[in-house]
């Protein structure tokens, strides 16, 4: 593998994760795309670099600590190092609050909170050991305002990710590792299109102060900025990309 720095993007097989992986690759990173849908991860990696030198897919379920440990060691073998982790994998559900079952609650929390937290531990330890690293956690507007189109379990999980971002940022700051969050409002992504419905998109967009859905490629640029070596003094932050839906 030949890129100067390597980034791992969880949930990079679709949606915003794919856009983030594409942008990081354009910015010169080797990209390890880890997704529970290993075929989707391979497909995105294949589009970025058919030779597999600077992009590679991995079938990984972020709920499993052993799978994340295995991912770290495989990426180190394949790319020779790792410098950036983007915790993007998530389960997005819009079930009405009082109808959320225990199984669905456990599932959303296990992927969104458990996956992010454990990956921060495993990759954070490696980054701390090497004295450099960048972690970017995908939070959500829902974690800040309680959610609108999405469910209460999803919103709660995203709030937990914002707290975890601060906890890991404080712990890892003296070791050359920054940990930040990006908090998108509704983006023009397959997930938003399916939750809102194609026929409602225009009226939905008109409820956003800037009058349009966000652009996933810009979320990718935001992640790339936080992932860059130059972003050394930003840590424990949450950068909002919400079209003015939530001002603070
Ligand atoms: N789309 C939006 O407008 C929006 C808004 C706010 C926040 N976000 C956040 O951005 C991130 C991406 O959102 P999206 O809309 O692209 O989601 P998506 O559902 O389209 O894609 C999520 C990806 O994560 C993968 N994934 C799910 N469970 C996994 C697991 N256990 N292990 C590994 N991979 C798993 C899926 O296979 C999929 O490829 C999420 O963290 C989401 O909360 C998105």
């Amino acid at each position: 593998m030949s890129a100067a720095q390597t980034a791992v993007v969880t949930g990079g097989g679709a949606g915003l994760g794919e856009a983030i992986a594409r942008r990081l690759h354009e910015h010169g990173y080797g990209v390890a795309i880890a997704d529970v849908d290993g075929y989707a991860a391979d497909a995105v990696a294949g589009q970025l670099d058919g030779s597999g030198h600077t992009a590679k897919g991995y079938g990984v379920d972020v709920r499993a600590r052993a799978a994340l440990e295995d991912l770290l060691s495989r990426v180190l073998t394949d790319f020779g190092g790792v410098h950036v982790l983007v915790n993007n994998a998530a389960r997005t559900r819009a079930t009405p609050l009082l109808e959320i079952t225990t199984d669905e609650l456990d599932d959303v929390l296990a992927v969104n909170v458990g996956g992010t937290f454990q990956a921060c531990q495993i990759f954070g330890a490696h980054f701390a050991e090497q004295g450099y690293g960048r972690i970017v956690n995908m939070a959500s507007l829902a974690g800040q305002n309680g959610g609108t189109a999405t469910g209460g379990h999803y919103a709660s999980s995203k709030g937990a990710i914002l707290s975890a971002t601060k906890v890991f940022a404080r712990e890892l700051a003296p070791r050359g590792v920054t940990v930040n969050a990006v908090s998108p409002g509704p983006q023009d992504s397959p997930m938003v299109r399916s939750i809102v419905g194609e026929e409602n998109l225009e009226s939905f967009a008109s409820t956003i102060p800037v009058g349009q859905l966000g652009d996933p490629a810009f979320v990718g640029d935001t992640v790339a900025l936080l992932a860059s070596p130059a972003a050394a003094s930003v840590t424990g932050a949450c950068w909002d990309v919400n079209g003015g839906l939530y001002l603070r």
Side-chain angles (χ1 to χ4, degrees):
M1 300 279 171
S2 54
Q5 286 206 355
T6 302
V8 170
V9 182
T10 70
L16 298 193
E18 177 180 347
I20 292 164
R22 287 184 185 283
R23 272 302 201 246
L24 288 171
H25 194 258
E26 283 166 17
H27 282 270
Y29 290 87
V31 178
I33 298 164
D35 202 294
V36 71
D37 183 344
Y39 294 108
D42 285 344
V44 174
Q47 287 167 20
L48 293 179
D49 180 358
S51 74
H53 287 309
T54 59
K56 198 166 162 45
Y58 300 83
V60 176
D61 186 337
V62 299
R63 290 174 296 186
R65 179 177 285 269
L68 290 166
E69 287 167 346
D70 183 55
L71 173 65
L72 172 60
S73 83
R74 286 166 68 197
V75 171
L76 288 174
T77 302
D78 293 343
F79 288 86
V82 59
H83 313 85
V84 174
L85 167 69
V86 183
N87 281 309
N88 165 86
R91 203 76 99 205
T92 306
R93 293 285 180 269
T95 311
L97 186 60
L98 301 185
E99 295 170 21
I100 295 168
T101 63
T102 302
D103 282 350
E104 189 175 305
L105 174 63
D106 287 349
D107 184 48
V108 167
L109 294 179
V111 177
N112 300 7
V113 185
T116 298
F117 196 98
Q118 294 183 110
C120 282
Q121 288 180 303
I122 291 160
F123 284 79
H126 175 77
F127 291 160
E129 186 66 28
Q130 72 183 3
Y132 180 86
R134 299 277 181 264
I135 298 176
V136 182
N137 295 327
M138 292 305 290
S140 173
L141 169 63
Q144 297 166 305
N145 76 351
T148 41
T150 47
H153 44 358
Y154 173 83
S156 301
S157 75
K158 292 293 168 174
I161 287 172
L162 288 168
S163 296
T165 299
K166 294 179 195 173
V167 171
F168 281 98
R170 193 173 53 210
E171 180 81 12
L172 297 175
R175 313 282 302 273
V177 184
T178 65
V179 187
N180 292 290
V182 173
S183 189
Q187 305 295 307
D188 190 353
S189 69
M191 173 58 72
V192 166
R193 283 177 175 264
S194 85
I195 288 183
V196 173
E198 297 287 342
E199 65 286 5
N200 304 319
L201 268 189
E202 213 174 296
S203 59
F204 182 72
S206 71
T207 65
I208 301 172
V210 300
Q212 58 183 4
L213 296 168
D215 178 1
F218 179 75
V219 172
D221 285 333
T222 306
V223 170
L225 190 56
L226 288 169
S228 66
S233 61
V234 183
T235 198
C238 171
W239 283 6
D240 299 346
V241 188
N242 65 28
L245 276 168
Y246 181 69
L247 307 176
R248 62 194 174 98

